[in-house]
Amino acid sequence: MTETARLDLQRRQRIGMVEAIWGEHKTAEQIASILLRLQSAGELALATRVDATKAQAVAELIEANPSGAALLEQLQFHAEARCLSLGDPAPPRQDLGEVLVLSGGTSDLPVASEAQLALHWHGVRCETLLDVGVAGLHRLLAQLERLEQAQVLIACAGMEGALPTVLAGLVPQPVIGVPVSVGYGVSAGGQAALHGMLASCAPGLSVVNIDNGYGAAMAALRILNSGPGGLSSGRAMTPAPGL
């Protein structure tokens, strides 16, 4: 396999995270090569935006590679999150607390699942709370006690994208809004949700790009790492094996 990527193998020690492989515009050969190189370096190996067809092609390439055939059973396709992983996630970091990922509707599930998986891959406890959109506000209000248990909230919403604003007006935790490309005509592939979140009157709401569940997860990780037990407290993350 041709090596076309320059890997940053010290990123987890430097800033507390490993950049995921953007799989949508990479070939199966490129993804397989990067996954194998990350895994051999003892680093986290996660590719986002991978469909079932490309995942199968990557699996076949890894199986055919002399150094990768034995790793095939460690390759996992996460269909809901549209992600592909090789090896094991980082050890659980109970001291960091929990992130809760909320979605306005089940159509937001792929984005919410990507965020949950990315956090799990970095050792962060994370659960999803689905179908609590503002069209039935009572569903969200019924979960307020559950929300209090999380340190950071990620809110994924399409249509007009109102869920993060409502959340940020109800709870004191950091809220990260993820506009989702779900909705009829004027929703414009998530543009309406993005603009609504950016124009929010709820102070302190943070917003990432459309469908960027991974980016929201890494924003949450940065917040957690700034607290007790995180990188900024002087506690370095466990170095990757062999580095």
Side-chain angles (χ1 to χ4, degrees):
M1 298 179 188
T2 304
E3 294 185 359
T4 58
R6 191 186 302 273
L7 304 184
D8 181 359
L9 297 177
Q10 285 73 45
R11 183 174 301 205
R12 182 149 56 114
Q13 286 68 55
R14 189 174 67 252
I15 62 174
M17 67 187 71
V18 174
E19 185 176 9
I21 304 162
W22 173 261
E24 186 172 345
H25 298 103
K26 288 184 176 64
T27 65
E29 182 181 50
Q30 289 169 336
I31 294 171
S33 174
I34 296 171
L35 284 174
L36 288 171
R37 291 170 63 195
L38 287 171
Q39 204 281 334
S40 66
E43 263 303 354
L44 306 178
L46 178 69
T48 64
R49 299 299 180 87
V50 179
D51 60 27
T53 300
K54 187 176 288 186
Q56 180 60 37
V58 171
E60 292 171 359
L61 287 166
I62 288 179
E63 184 177 23
N65 188 285
S67 63
L71 297 173
L72 190 60
E73 63 182 27
Q74 298 181 41
L75 185 71
Q76 185 175 358
F77 177 53
H78 308 266
E80 284 188 343
R82 302 172 299 184
C83 292
L84 192 63
S85 63
L86 179 62
D88 299 319
R93 302 175 62 195
Q94 301 293 340
D95 55 317
L96 288 183
E98 181 188 34
V99 176
L100 195 60
V101 181
L102 300 90
S103 77
T106 51
S107 296
D108 307 323
L109 182 58
V111 177
S113 297
E114 179 181 286
Q116 182 184 26
L117 177 64
L119 285 165
H120 170 68
W121 213 245
H122 284 78
V124 178
R125 287 188 292 123
C126 180
E127 290 187 6
T128 55
L129 187 59
L130 305 177
D131 206 20
V132 288
V134 299
L137 191 56
H138 60 287
R139 299 175 299 187
L140 177 63
L141 298 178
Q143 300 296 326
L144 288 180
E145 185 175 345
R146 175 69 183 91
L147 300 182
E148 293 173 358
Q149 301 171 27
Q151 279 61 54
V152 182
L153 303 176
I154 295 175
C156 307
M159 303 294 186
E160 83 282 24
L163 178 60
T165 290
V166 173
L167 270 177
L170 287 174
V171 298
Q173 299 102 311
V175 176
I176 302 167
V178 187
V180 179
S181 55
V182 170
Y184 295 107
V186 73
S187 297
Q191 291 287 337
L194 173 62
H195 293 165
M197 292 180 194
L198 290 174
S200 172
C201 63
L205 173 64
S206 299
V207 183
V208 298
N209 211 336
I210 297 170
D211 291 341
N212 192 5
Y214 177 80
M218 295 303 97
L221 180 60
R222 284 181 181 270
I223 293 170
L224 295 176
N225 273 331
S226 68
L231 290 179
S232 64
S233 67
R235 174 185 176 273
M237 293 187 69
T238 303
L243 297 182

